[in-house]
Each structure stands twice: as C-alpha cells, then as structure tokens.
Amino acid sequence: VDATFETVEPEPEPPTSLMVYGINPSSSFGCSTIEFDLSTVNTTDKTAVTVLNTWEDYTEITCGASVDNCYYAVLNNKFVSINFTTNELKEINSSMSESICGMAYEPVSKVLYAINGVQNEDKSYTTTLYTVDPKSGALTAVNTYSTKLVAITADGNGGLYGVSATVPTGKWWPVPQLWSIDAEHNISATPRSEERRVGKECLKRCR
C-alpha cells in the first residue's frame, strides 16, 4: 500500500521575553533609557519598567529611530546614538542645523529620514524631508511639502509614509491623515485601507 505522509511543522514556542526599549525625558533628572518586557503586559498587573541609564545633560527628546542595533535620536537639538545593549550614548552632532520633529529608517534602501516643519507668515506650514547621515548628523533636503507633517514612518517593505494632523473647518480637534512618500519623495494621500495596512506593518516591526 502506498501512503503519503505530510510533515507537520510544530508551532513555534512563544518568546519567553520580548524586551522593548525607549527613552524617558525629564527636565529635572535628564533623559533615561528604559526597558520593559512586552510579553508581560496584561490588563491586571502593572508592567515593570527598568531604568538602564540616565544622562542629566539631556532633558528633551524630539524624535528618534532604530537602525539595526543602534538608536539615533535628537536630544536637546543634539544628534546622538544610543546602544541599548551597552547603554552607551555618543554625541555625533552637537548642534543640528534644523529643528527636527520626526525621524524614520527605511531598511530596504537603508536610508535614515527626518522632517521639520515651519509655520509661514501667512499661517500656512512647510515641511521639509531630509536624509540624515548617521555618521555626522548632516541633513540633506530632498523635498519640501505644503502639508504639515508631524511624523514619518516606514513599513519595512520599502514604503515611506508621513502623518499630518490638521483641524478641518468647523472642527475643534485635529484629524490625522496618512500620506505615501514615493521613490522620488513626492507625497500623495492614501486611502483608509492603506492606512490600516501600514499600521499593521509598523506594529509588526515594533514587536
């Protein structure tokens, strides 16, 4: 009797721990690097947060992005790198040329991006998209938009996106809008279905 058997792969074991790292700014005590185990998060118990290190000279964080095993951030308008494994902070650029308000790393093209927004005299906004040299913190402008972007993100598949938050006429609260940034760094509004897909992809990368 001929028989064909299908090999069934066992289900992977869930991770015993899933560490998440971050920076907690404080005007009184300085910026602290922190970690917590995402696998322990639930609705009943408090999640333990561990302080790894504190730098009293840095009290504000504007934005940051992870590049491989390094985290780049703007602290007190200084471009720094942080290694969460060794808890080492290196000041790369002591004075950024622009006030950066968002940063994201696009892993397919291996490019670190940043944005800054300026309010014009007529109350309109201009957002400039930059590439960032991780070795020097130098900014290179690649495009300028009349849309006020407040954040940027990447989906891990080559997609780069910006988020705007404007207050429509007759409303009292800002409404977020996702914008797609193409290979030529032009932006276009995305449909709601695309917003949900990008949100899921970004959540996967954060896990």
Side-chain angles (χ1 to χ4, degrees), residues 73-195:
V74 178
L75 306 180
N76 291 59
N77 203 41
K78 303 176 189 295
F79 185 69
V80 305
S81 65
I82 299 174
N83 188 313
F84 285 107
T85 303
T86 61
N87 286 315
E88 293 178 315
L89 183 148
K90 179 181 178 182
E91 189 173 296
I92 300 174
N93 191 321
S94 61
S95 180
M96 296 293 286
S97 59
E98 301 291 344
S99 298
I100 300 304
C101 63
M103 194 181 298
Y105 178 64
E106 204 293 285
V108 175
S109 59
K110 297 183 179 180
V111 176
L112 182 62
Y113 289 96
I115 56 170
N116 86 317
V118 176
Q119 186 174 22
N120 305 310
E121 292 183 358
D122 61 358
K123 305 301 181 180
S124 63
Y125 283 88
T126 299
T127 300
T128 302
L129 178 69
Y130 301 92
T131 58
V132 186
D133 183 351
K135 296 181 179 179
S136 65
L139 302 173
T140 301
V142 294
N143 210 341
T144 301
Y145 315 116
S146 58
T147 301
K148 180 185 178 182
L149 299 181
V150 296
I152 53 175
T153 188
D155 63 7
N157 297 316
L160 187 66
Y161 301 86
V163 179
S164 65
T166 57
V167 180
T169 304
K171 301 290 185 180
W172 295 96
W173 56 88
V175 176
Q177 170 68 55
L178 184 70
W179 300 79
S180 177
I181 304 175
D182 62 23
E184 285 73 39
H185 304 114
N186 299 311
I187 63 172
S188 58
T190 59
R192 292 294 179 181
S193 59
E194 178 71 359
E195 292 185 24

Side-chain angles (χ1 to χ4, degrees), residues 23-52:
I23 298 178
N24 182 36
S26 171
S27 58
S28 301
F29 305 104
C31 286
S32 299
T33 50
I34 59 174
E35 69 175 9
F36 64 91
D37 188 352
L38 193 62
S39 65
T40 64
V41 175
N42 55 59
T43 58
T44 57
D45 300 325
K46 293 183 178 179
T47 302
V49 176
T50 303
V51 176
L52 302 175

